[in-house]
Amino acid sequence: MAALWPPSAHPIFSPMDIVRWWKALGRNEHVRIGLFALGCVLVALAPVVGLLPGPGGILVFALGLGLMLRNSLWAKKRYVAFKRRWPKHGAWADWGLRRKSARRRDKIAKARAKLRAANGPSAADMD
């Protein structure tokens, strides 16, 4: 296996080499486990940091949750179960994590609402 760093033998490398290296690093199983563990530690530390003045606890929790969701299938499954049980809270979590799927669902919902407003009430809406 080739060395992960530097991305090229040339002392000046392109930004694309850095992006390619960063993505390859994210596919490494040991790195993913380490990032998941770091996320767990950050979530556990969030209440302690929350005692300090300012919004630090919320930011530490969000960063830890993001690391956990990005690097663990188990955490993703728990998150999906949470969203199914409490959809309103799941929408807030999506917003806080800036998830692409949340933006896509919001865009579709706004387009449907706009279409309904333009066409007037339908028979399905009156039930």
Side-chain angles (χ1 to χ4, degrees):
M1 181 176 191
L4 291 175
W5 190 260
S8 77
H10 195 273
I12 299 175
F13 43 86
S14 72
M16 288 306 295
D17 289 336
I18 295 172
V19 169
R20 198 173 310 120
W21 173 79
W22 188 254
K23 287 183 179 181
L25 189 61
R27 289 188 296 266
N28 184 333
E29 190 62 29
H30 298 293
V31 172
R32 291 177 68 91
I33 290 171
L35 289 173
F36 175 73
L38 177 62
C40 292
V41 168
L42 289 175
V43 168
L45 285 176
V48 176
V49 175
L51 295 175
L52 300 173
I58 295 169
L59 298 175
V60 169
F61 180 80
L63 182 62
L65 183 62
L67 283 172
M68 289 171 59
L69 289 175
R70 186 168 180 96
N71 294 298
S72 169
L73 183 60
W74 172 83
K76 288 178 190 175
K77 287 180 180 180
R78 300 279 51 91
Y79 177 71
V80 168
F82 168 79
K83 282 181 49 171
R84 284 191 182 136
R85 186 161 183 183
W86 296 290
K88 194 174 206 175
H89 299 301
W92 276 102
D94 280 343
W95 176 83
L97 293 169
R98 305 288 195 260
R99 294 177 51 98
K100 290 180 186 177
S101 59
R103 289 192 300 256
R104 185 180 61 243
R105 282 192 302 273
D106 286 344
K107 187 177 178 182
I108 291 170
K110 287 178 184 177
R112 285 182 181 163
K114 193 176 193 180
L115 186 63
R116 272 193 220 114
N119 293 336
S122 66
D125 292 336
M126 293 187 185
D127 289 336

